[in-house]
């Protein structure tokens, strides 16, 4: 019999607030986190907007100023979220076996701002002026490494990179490590800080971003007929996953059970999804089977929902192929409509959204849904949150390279 795995802690650093409570309330209100970029000159970029975190101070999360100077922003955000998650879980670090705690996080791009800065140093000042901290700051595995250093966790530790499916893949790996007994506790989730001149230019030139610069808060509009691309966002969500036996033994609060995971690849195109969605359908079905949940039990789907033409159409098709006629009755919402696309961290922040909706009894809206698209004709919970009891939920993530991953959670029942 599979071990049951539960979620006992959560930390969130997002464009709509830092900490679970403000994040939850702004989700319920559908308050957009998108605004004009002011951290660098965007006059030559076709897209001038993003969902940024404006009030983050690493020192508020125990990261000393000197230490913060040697951390990339994605690592700072992730360590802060991890600190909140560990505190939220009530773990007593003096009483647990820290060799039985693993740390596995999903990061898509990592310290790209560090790379851009050090490339300038190389070209303008020469190789001797490149920082000795360049490599350890930039590499994606430094987030799980720094979390381990901060808390003394010596279990399995690595980063997962699969573009926008990274966090879901990381959490899926964790689910299986815990089931197989490689650890009792896991710190997992994702972090990303991709809003830099180079990455903005790259996503602009691949024609993925919205150019609705005159109305930033209206730019991310998943499933709306007039969508014109996604909006980049930054942030982190980190969780404490735990075997049920371990959580019960220490009397932990339990948010939900992490029930299943499925993953696949389109093997089709580097950026476009397979228009028939065959592998994405496979991932959702694998997840349901792993979770031992029947399609008719699903109460809510947190969609990948990027606000790009191809993704939204294909994801809608995938849901119809899996759930048939019932797909029209399942509430679906896109967290990206509110806080943009966190790339490698998207699956983590969207699991956080799904968890707070389950905990507080509502489904957050898909904002900016104004004009129905005949090819996207499901219930996307348009513009206004809805009261609902969620017992079973899915969260989808799809990434460049054709990566598909789906996570299932269910309300914890003794």
């Amino acid at each position: 019999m599979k071990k049951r795995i539960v979620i006992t802690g959560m930390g969130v650093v997002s464009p709509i607030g830092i900490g679970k409570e403000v994040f939850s309330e702004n989700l319920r209100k559908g308050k957009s986190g998108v605004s004009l970029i002011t951290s660098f000159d965007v006059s030559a970029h076709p897209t001038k907007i993003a969902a940024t975190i404006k009030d983050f101070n690493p020192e508020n999360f125990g990261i000393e100023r000197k230490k913060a100077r040697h951390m990339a922003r994605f690592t700072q955000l992730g360590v802060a979220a991890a600190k909140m998650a560990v505190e939220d879980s009530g773990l007593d670090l003096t009483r647990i076996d820290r060799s039985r705690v693993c740390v596995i996080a999903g990061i898509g791009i990592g310290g790209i701002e560090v790379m851009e800065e050090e490339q300038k140093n190389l070209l303008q000042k020469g190789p001797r002026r490149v920082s000795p901290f360049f490599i350890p700051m930039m590499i994606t595995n430094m987030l799980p490494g720094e979390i381990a250093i901060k808390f003394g966790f010596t279990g399995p530790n690595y980063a997962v990179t699969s573009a926008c499916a990274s966090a879901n893949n990381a959490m899926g790996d964790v689910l299986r490590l815990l089931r197989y007994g490689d650890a009792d506790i896991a710190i997992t989730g994702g972090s990303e800080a991709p809003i830099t001149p180079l990455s903005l230019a790259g996503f602009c030139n691949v024609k993925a971003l919205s150019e609705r610069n005159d109305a930033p808060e209206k730019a991310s509009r998943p499933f709306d007929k007039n969508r014109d691309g996604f909006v980049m966002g930054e942030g982190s969500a980190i969780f404490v996953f735990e075997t049920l036996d371990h959580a019960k033994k220490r009397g932990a609060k339990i948010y939900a059970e992490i029930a299943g995971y499925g993953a696949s690849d389109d093997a089709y195109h580097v950026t476009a999804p397979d228009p028939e969605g065959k592998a994405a359908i496979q991932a959702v079905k694998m997840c349901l089977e792993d979770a031992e949940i029947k399609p008719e039990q699903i109460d809510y789907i947190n969609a990948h929902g990027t606000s790009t033409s191809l993704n939204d159409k294909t994801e809608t098709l995938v849901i119809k192929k899996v759930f048939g006629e019932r797909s029209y009755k399942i509430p679906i919402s896109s967290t990206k409509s509110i806080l943009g696309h966190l790339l490698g961290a998207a699956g983590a922040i969207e699991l956080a959204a799904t968890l707070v909706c389950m905990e507080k009894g509502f489904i957050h809206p898909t904002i900016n849904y104004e004009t129905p698209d005949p090819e996207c004709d499901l219930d996307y919970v348009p513009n206004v949150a809805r009261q609902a009891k969620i017992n079973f939920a899915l969260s989808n993530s799809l990434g460049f390279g054709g990566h598909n991953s789906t996570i299932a959670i269910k309300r914890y029942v003794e």
Side-chain angles (χ1 to χ4, degrees):
M1 181 180 289
K2 295 174 188 169
K3 288 186 180 181
R4 295 174 69 185
I5 311 302
V6 293
I7 304 170
T8 56
M10 177 180 0
V12 176
V13 182
S14 86
I16 57 169
I18 297 173
K20 187 186 76 171
E21 293 305 323
V22 65
F23 172 72
S24 172
E25 278 313 298
N26 285 331
L27 272 182
R28 187 195 294 265
K29 293 173 186 170
K31 179 181 176 181
S32 173
V34 182
S35 60
L36 287 169
I37 295 170
T38 58
S39 56
F40 57 89
D41 179 8
V42 292
S43 57
H45 290 74
T47 292
K48 307 176 193 304
I49 57 176
T52 58
I53 300 163
K54 300 172 183 65
D55 53 357
F56 176 72
N57 180 354
E59 291 182 78
N60 293 342
F61 300 92
I63 306 171
E64 295 176 0
R65 189 176 302 177
K66 182 178 178 183
K67 177 75 174 173
R69 285 202 298 270
H70 297 154
M71 278 185 181
R73 185 170 171 85
F74 83 96
T75 304
Q76 295 177 8
L77 301 177
V79 169
K83 182 175 187 294
M84 285 187 277
V86 169
E87 290 174 353
D88 185 44
S89 74
L91 281 174
D92 181 345
L93 299 181
T94 66
R95 296 174 65 91
I96 62 171
D97 180 354
R98 282 182 269 187
S99 72
R100 299 282 300 162
V101 182
C102 67
V103 186
I104 298 171
I107 301 106
I109 288 182
I112 189 167
E113 86 279 15
V114 180
M115 181 179 288
E116 291 181 35
E117 191 60 35
E118 296 306 324
Q119 173 75 352
K120 283 184 205 168
N121 285 338
L122 174 67
L123 296 178
Q124 295 172 2
K125 303 174 183 175
R128 292 183 64 83
R129 298 299 298 273
V130 172
S131 169
F133 294 98
F134 166 48
I135 298 298
M137 288 174 71
M138 180 197 69
I139 51 181
T140 58
N141 59 298
M142 200 46 62
L143 171 57
E146 288 282 9
I147 293 171
I149 291 167
K150 184 175 182 64
F151 297 102
F153 298 143
T154 62
N157 186 301
Y158 57 86
V160 174
T161 296
S162 50
C164 306
S166 300
N168 262 11
N169 285 142
M171 296 186 293
D173 279 6
V174 160
L175 176 65
R176 293 182 176 175
L177 279 174
L178 292 176
R179 280 178 178 167
Y180 278 91
D182 292 338
D184 301 317
I185 300 170
I187 312 300
T188 187
S191 188
E192 201 79 277
I195 303 165
T196 71
L198 181 61
S199 62
L200 184 67
F203 279 111
C204 282
N205 291 345
V206 80
K207 304 294 183 189
L209 298 184
S210 170
E211 297 181 10
R212 206 179 294 266
N213 300 311
D214 55 343
E217 71 282 1
K218 298 282 188 184
S220 183
R221 45 182 58 229
F223 306 108
D224 183 89
K225 185 177 181 181
N226 297 319
R227 62 196 182 275
D228 71 332
F230 73 78
V231 176
M232 278 204 293
E234 63 175 355
S236 178
I238 300 289
F239 308 93
V240 176
F241 286 11
E242 199 166 348
T243 63
L244 176 60
D245 288 346
H246 194 277
K248 287 174 71 173
K249 196 176 294 181
R250 68 180 187 89
K253 168 192 67 184
I254 294 174
Y255 281 103
E257 186 166 350
I258 186 92
Y261 166 61
S264 66
D265 192 273
D266 287 350
Y268 174 77
H269 190 273
V270 293
T271 57
D274 174 3
E276 296 182 25
K278 293 189 291 291
I281 292 167
Q282 175 186 333
V284 176
K285 288 184 173 178
M286 285 172 66
C287 179
L288 289 169
E289 184 176 348
D290 185 43
E292 300 177 357
I293 296 173
K294 296 176 182 173
E296 54 268 31
Q297 291 179 284
I298 294 296
D299 302 308
Y300 169 63
I301 298 173
N302 187 292
H304 189 59
T306 54
S307 182
T308 60
S309 177
L310 291 179
N311 175 91
D312 293 357
K313 182 172 67 173
T314 303
E315 189 172 14
T316 297
L317 176 67
V318 167
I319 292 169
K320 288 180 181 179
K321 291 281 189 183
V322 174
F323 294 95
E325 280 302 308
R326 190 165 180 275
S327 60
Y328 292 91
K329 297 179 180 177
I330 303 174
I332 300 162
S333 57
S334 169
T335 308
K336 294 181 181 73
S337 68
I338 296 171
L339 48 76
H341 190 347
L342 272 57
L343 307 182
I349 204 78
E350 288 156 16
L351 179 62
T354 305
L355 280 174
V356 298
C357 287
M358 180 177 278
E359 181 189 32
K360 296 179 182 295
F362 72 95
I363 294 173
H364 79 70
T366 300
I367 65 170
N368 302 321
Y369 185 86
E370 295 173 347
T371 306
D373 178 346
E375 294 186 287
C376 299
D377 56 351
L378 301 179
D379 175 10
Y380 304 110
V381 192
N383 302 314
V384 178
R386 188 181 299 171
Q387 293 301 115
K389 181 176 181 180
I390 302 170
N391 289 316
F392 300 92
L394 295 181
S395 180
N396 289 331
S397 285
L398 316 173
F400 279 1
H403 307 296
N404 309 296
S405 57
T406 301
I407 291 278
I409 62 169
K410 64 181 181 183
R411 184 178 295 276
Y412 171 64
V413 177
E414 189 75 38

